């Protein structure tokens, strides 16, 4: 669905966020249900990830890959708890 077979294969931010959101929502949910985004969570996750990528591009030496990974993990945990 997301043009990747492992975490290093994602070509676009949209595919990566979609895959992680789908994993978080449960792989048993259909792709159509994920794309319907009834809670607004997917749209919000994409919006935040774009802001995060802009921050990284502006300050590449200040933000490490580990920091980005931790931020994304916290974002998805927040989205889970918000449900």
């Amino acid at each position: 669905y997301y043009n990747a077979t492992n975490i290093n294969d994602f070509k676009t931010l949209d595919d990566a966020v979609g895959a992680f959101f789908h994993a978080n929502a449960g792989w048993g949910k259909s792709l159509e249900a994920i794309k319907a985004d009834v809670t607004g969570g997917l749209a919000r996750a994409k919006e935040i990830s774009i802001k995060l990528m802009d921050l990284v591009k502006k300050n590449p030496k200040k933000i490490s890959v580990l920091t980005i990974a931790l931020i994304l993990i916290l974002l998805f945990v927040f989205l889970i708890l918000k449900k």
Side-chain angles (χ1 to χ4, degrees):
Y1 297 137
Y2 301 101
N3 304 311
T5 56
N6 71 56
I7 197 165
N8 297 311
D9 287 346
F10 292 109
K11 303 289 187 248
T12 68
L13 185 60
D14 196 50
D15 282 345
V17 172
F20 283 97
F21 188 84
H22 197 163
N24 182 45
W27 288 116
K29 290 194 176 186
S30 70
L31 184 57
E32 292 77 26
I34 296 300
K35 288 183 176 180
D37 190 18
V38 295
T39 65
L42 179 57
R44 181 146 190 225
K46 288 179 180 181
E47 179 183 316
I48 291 170
S49 64
I50 290 168
K51 289 178 182 178
L52 177 61
M53 288 304 295
D54 288 342
L55 178 65
V56 171
K57 287 177 184 176
K58 291 177 184 173
N59 303 292
K61 293 182 181 180
K62 292 184 180 180
I63 300 179
S64 69
V65 172
L66 179 58
T67 304
I68 294 169
L70 289 173
I71 291 169
L72 289 173
I73 290 168
L74 290 172
L75 169 66
F76 289 113
V77 168
F78 171 76
L79 291 172
I80 290 172
L81 295 175
K82 191 174 179 181
K83 291 181 183 179

